[in-house]
């Protein structure tokens, strides 16, 4: 009888031990939260903390791009980036460099870039730079031409121009920015 009670005690102890090992809500919860959830269309390439420099045929840098993330989709021939900072560089001291920042951007294989959400284009000069603000901007020809059909605010020193739609030729010695419609210009004089 002592042997059966010992075996029963061992069986009960093993049953309790098996139940304790199986029932661990912390581990089961950890397993479900550590799983990587991919979107329906996962990218072919994903990069965090992008830092890229593009060079011309002579080896001079023409564009520097930094971004929080880049997701490349080969089938769509486009890359989606978040928090981009793009510097358009010129090796000619008579021409301005430009900086473009936004919340998101789409890079296309033909070199065009579509910037969206809080887009700011700033001329990188020391004396009264031009600053352009809009919600949507398409940049073409490796940064030489920019356009938008959306409302735009253009600031240069105390002069502020607003309008709807814009074309800008950023390359060359003298950039040309053309507001298309509903143009209003005001001059904010310094207060005494």
């Amino acid at each position: 009888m002592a042997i059966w009670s010992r075996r029963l005690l061992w069986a009960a102890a093993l049953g309790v031990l098996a139940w304790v090992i199986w029932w661990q809500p912390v581990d089961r919860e950890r397993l479900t939260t550590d799983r990587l959830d991919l979107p329906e269309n996962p990218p072919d390439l994903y990069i965090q903390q992008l830092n890229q420099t593009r060079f011309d045929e002579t080896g001079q840098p023409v564009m520097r791009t930094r971004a929080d993330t880049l997701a490349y989709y080969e089938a769509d021939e486009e890359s989606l980036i978040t928090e981009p900072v793009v510097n358009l560089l010129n090796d000619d001291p008579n021409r301005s460099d430009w900086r473009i920042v936004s919340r998101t951007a789409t890079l296309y294989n033909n070199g065009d870039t579509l910037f969206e959400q809080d887009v700011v284009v700033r001329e990188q000069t020391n004396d009264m730079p031009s600053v352009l603000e809009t919600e949507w901007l398409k940049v073409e020809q490796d940064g030489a031409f920019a356009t938008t059909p959306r409302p735009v605010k253009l600031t240069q020193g105390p002069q502020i121009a607003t309008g709807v739609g814009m074309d800008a030729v950023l390359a060359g010695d003298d950039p040309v920015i053309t507001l298309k419609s509903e143009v209003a210009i005001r001059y904010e004089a310094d207060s005494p």
Side-chain angles (χ1 to χ4, degrees), residues 96-110:
S96 296
D97 293 346
W98 293 86
R99 172 178 276 194
I100 305 170
V101 298
S102 69
R103 297 272 183 231
T104 63
T106 304
L107 307 173
Y108 298 97
N109 279 357
N110 65 358

Side-chain angles (χ1 to χ4, degrees), residues 6-82:
R6 224 181 282 159
R7 284 185 184 170
L8 186 57
L9 188 59
W10 274 102
L14 287 175
V16 169
L17 182 60
W19 181 77
V20 167
I21 290 172
W22 175 81
W23 187 77
Q24 293 182 358
V26 175
D27 287 344
R28 198 172 315 133
E29 183 178 305
R30 185 180 57 86
L31 289 175
T32 58
T33 59
D34 285 351
R35 197 177 100 242
L36 178 62
D37 291 327
L38 293 175
E40 287 182 26
N41 182 20
D44 297 297
L45 174 68
Y46 183 78
I47 299 173
Q48 290 184 319
Q49 301 305 314
L50 174 72
N51 194 353
Q52 176 189 30
T53 302
R54 186 185 300 173
F55 298 89
D56 65 10
E57 309 83 38
T58 65
Q60 295 297 316
V62 292
M63 183 184 299
R64 286 197 176 96
T65 304
R66 287 184 294 120
D68 285 351
T69 63
L70 176 139
Y72 174 68
Y73 296 88
E74 186 175 12
D76 298 333
E77 297 185 348
E78 65 184 26
S79 298
L80 306 177
I81 60 178
T82 59

